[in-house]
Amino acid sequence: MNRQPAQALRILLSQQSIDLLGQSMARLMGDRPYELIAIETAVALQRTDADVAFISREVTGASTKHEIHPALQQVYDLLRNSPRLQWVHIHSAGADRPIYQDLRARGVQIATSSGANAQVVATMALAGLLALARRFPLLWAEQQGRH
């Protein structure tokens, strides 16, 4: 049987992530052919041939679910137009942005980083509950009013 050489796995991620993770990814990929594609380059060249994508914090920037900045919209458009895309990992725990719902509807797997900041969130929630139980907002208001 003739085996065709494996096609390179095309991985879309920011240049910053490539700089930070590139060597580790090379070790993990071993002999498997792959290509790291910088999101910035992919947007500039309109490359829509990625198989997987990692959307890190510097990619989403200051955008929110309801206010998407033009640079992020370009990335979303690229993802939507990538027919080979099979998997997207996002830096946040929430995958409720419309782009992720659209991609999921066409069969793209969406993975989140849920749990990555669970300890910090739990600590802040507990601190908030303790502050409310000790009437910190009332005490702070009285302090501001010099009472």
Side-chain angles (χ1 to χ4, degrees), residues 20-98:
L20 183 66
L21 303 170
Q23 290 181 349
S24 296
M25 292 178 79
R27 283 192 301 277
L28 289 171
M29 294 302 288
D31 292 335
R32 181 169 182 189
Y34 72 99
E35 178 185 4
L36 299 180
I37 306 168
I39 286 176
E40 299 83 351
T41 302
V43 167
L45 300 176
Q46 286 300 292
R47 283 193 65 176
T48 58
D49 57 345
D51 299 298
V52 299
F54 175 58
I55 306 301
S56 48
R57 184 71 185 119
E58 72 275 4
V59 175
T60 56
S63 293
T64 67
K65 179 177 163 183
H66 302 292
E67 184 181 328
I68 300 167
H69 294 267
L72 181 59
Q73 185 61 55
Q74 290 178 323
V75 173
Y76 286 173
D77 293 342
L78 195 72
L79 295 175
R80 278 193 179 95
N81 294 320
S82 295
R84 294 175 42 150
L85 192 62
Q86 299 172 29
W87 179 70
V88 174
H89 185 96
I90 55 178
H91 66 85
S92 63
D96 57 345
R97 292 180 184 225

Side-chain angles (χ1 to χ4, degrees), residues 1 16-17 60 71 74 84 98 117 120 123 134 138:
M1 179 171 148
Q16 182 177 334
S17 293
T60 56
Q74 290 178 323
R84 294 175 42 150
N117 62 351
V120 173
T123 301
R134 297 297 232 161
L138 176 63

